[in-house]
Amino acid sequence: MTSWLPKSRKARTRLLLLAAIAPVVALAVGLSLWGMRDSISFFYTPSQAAAAHPPAGRAIQLGGLVAVGSVVKHPDGQVEFTVRDKISADKVVFQGDLPDLFREGQGVVAEGAYRPDGVFEAKRVLAKHDEKYMPKEVADALKKQGEWRGDGQAPAYGAPAAAGGPT
């Protein structure tokens, strides 16, 4: 009868040690990944989110342009606005103070989750910090859709361009 174990005592010891350590390492990696599953935040544009159908309550980042004429501020501090790309749009609600550079027609990334009714509830809203910057994910998504003009400004959907440049 032949054994599948090596004949060398040193090699058998190493093989048995490896056989004992491998499941422990695999279990540790599995538990780490399972523990981090809720801290992973996917980035979507409105059209990508419509295609992916992220489950309600899952933390994601929604990026695009703030639709012109969509911002509604309520007395209780809640703000409603629409984030859109060339194909789709999503209603966003946010409770709190918006960044100083938040404007209609500008790039924005909202961090939060979709509610069961399909409205995106933002926990945090990020706006571009100067006239030449837009979050990389938003710029890449707009370029892919053919909407990016390359000068740091994307068109404001449904609104004519303002004379004299950005406000």
Side-chain angles (χ1 to χ4, degrees):
M1 178 169 130
T2 59
S3 173
W4 57 273
L5 290 173
K7 292 181 181 181
S8 164
R9 180 182 175 127
K10 193 174 190 179
R12 276 194 311 267
T13 305
R14 287 183 188 159
L15 184 62
L16 291 174
L17 185 61
L18 179 66
I21 291 174
V24 172
V25 170
L27 181 64
V29 168
L31 287 174
S32 297
L33 291 174
W34 183 74
M36 293 187 317
R37 74 189 183 287
D38 289 335
S39 65
I40 296 172
S41 180
F42 294 100
F43 175 84
Y44 295 104
T45 63
S47 58
Q48 291 169 339
H53 303 294
R58 173 184 246 173
I60 66 166
Q61 296 176 347
L62 181 68
L65 301 174
V66 178
V68 175
S70 69
V71 179
V72 177
K73 296 181 180 182
H74 298 280
D76 64 354
Q78 185 176 28
V79 181
E80 298 176 10
F81 57 94
T82 301
V83 173
R84 59 180 297 134
D85 57 16
K86 189 174 183 180
I87 300 166
S88 187
D90 280 326
K91 181 178 178 182
V92 177
V93 295
F94 176 67
Q95 182 71 37
D97 295 327
L98 291 168
D100 291 337
L101 297 173
F102 178 89
R103 291 189 289 268
E104 295 178 349
Q106 300 293 325
V108 68
V109 174
E111 298 175 353
Y114 282 99
R115 298 188 313 208
D117 63 359
V119 174
F120 188 81
E121 187 170 341
K123 302 291 182 206
R124 192 166 119 180
V125 175
L126 307 170
K128 66 184 209 167
H129 62 78
D130 65 22
E131 295 304 322
K132 296 296 181 190
Y133 174 79
M134 180 175 289
K136 181 180 177 353
E137 295 89 352
V138 174
D140 290 347
L142 290 172
K143 285 176 188 176
K144 187 175 180 180
Q145 293 180 359
E147 195 63 28
W148 183 255
R149 296 186 306 177
D151 61 356
Q153 298 293 310
Y157 298 96
T167 57

